[in-house]
Amino acid sequence: MELDLIEYDIDSTVKKQVEAILQKLVEKTSAGVVMLTDDAGRIVSIKGKKQEDTESEFLATLISGVFGAAVEMGKILSMDQLEVLQYESKSMDVVIKFIKPRFLLGVIVPKSTALGTVRLFMKEASDSLEKVLEGAKMVPVRELKIDIKELEERLNRILGGSE
């Protein structure tokens, strides 16, 4: 069995606008990584600390999966639509925000960064992104094929599990 990881591209004008918004968010929040994905975990754009392509792909997939799981939990509990999800660890915090129509904005910041500030700047960025992405068309630009065993090994390495 093999898994296809697909990266998408958007119109160059829209891409420049998206990248400018994400770069501004990196600067305002001191984020290590700011990533825009679609709701299936495919990367639209990423700014901040550069990671290996496969690590970025896995990070995008995890952002999508964690957010999707929280949305489903909300449905079971009869909650309104989930807008923002936060994950706090000892060394870093992750904030994921839903962007209409079907995107996710993930921000990874050092623990020293105030989450209220991050959320404020994410709200500003999400409003701008929604306007820019309203009519964007996404087309595949690259496919990465990876087998399940290699996927498990890389996920364990990224998540700090045993191999």
Side-chain angles (χ1 to χ4, degrees):
M1 180 191 262
E2 194 170 70
L3 176 67
D4 291 336
L5 300 175
I6 303 172
E7 181 180 347
Y8 280 76
D9 200 4
I10 51 179
D11 173 89
S12 62
T13 305
V14 172
K15 182 114 176 153
K16 285 179 187 174
Q17 292 173 321
V18 166
E19 289 184 352
I21 293 166
L22 297 185
Q23 186 59 44
K24 189 175 178 181
L25 186 57
V26 167
E27 292 165 5
K28 287 184 172 184
T29 62
S30 301
V33 176
V34 172
M35 180 180 292
L36 182 69
T37 71
D38 69 3
D39 59 359
R42 293 177 289 250
I43 296 174
V44 176
S45 185
I46 184 170
K47 291 289 178 192
K49 181 179 139 188
K50 203 64 176 164
Q51 303 190 352
E52 282 186 40
D53 285 344
T54 53
E55 287 181 1
S56 296
E57 298 283 351
F58 294 134
L59 184 58
T61 302
L62 291 170
I63 285 172
S64 171
V66 167
F67 196 85
V71 166
E72 292 305 313
M73 182 178 67
K75 288 177 185 176
I76 291 170
L77 299 173
S78 301
M79 297 168 61
D80 292 334
Q81 182 176 2
L82 181 64
E83 293 283 326
V84 177
L85 181 65
Q86 287 180 202
Y87 170 79
E88 298 180 39
S89 76
K90 289 182 181 180
S91 61
M92 71 178 90
D93 296 322
V94 179
V95 184
I96 306 168
K97 179 156 183 19
F98 177 73
I99 308 291
K100 293 178 186 171
R102 55 173 297 204
F103 299 96
L104 298 171
L105 178 60
V107 177
I108 301 174
V109 294
K111 191 67 175 171
S112 60
T113 304
L115 286 177
T117 303
V118 172
R119 288 182 64 155
L120 175 68
F121 290 130
M122 281 184 81
K123 170 75 171 110
E124 182 182 289
S126 70
D127 291 344
S128 298
L129 286 168
E130 284 180 3
K131 289 176 188 167
V132 169
L133 294 169
E134 274 179 342
K137 294 190 180 198
M138 297 174 60
V139 295
V141 292
R142 179 178 68 99
E143 290 187 29
L144 173 67
K145 301 234 185 235
I146 187 166
D147 67 47
I148 298 301
K149 180 152 179 57
E150 184 180 354
L151 175 64
E152 287 175 358
E153 290 170 0
R154 289 179 187 232
L155 280 174
N156 280 331
R157 191 179 82 235
I158 291 168
L159 299 174
S162 60
E163 291 189 33

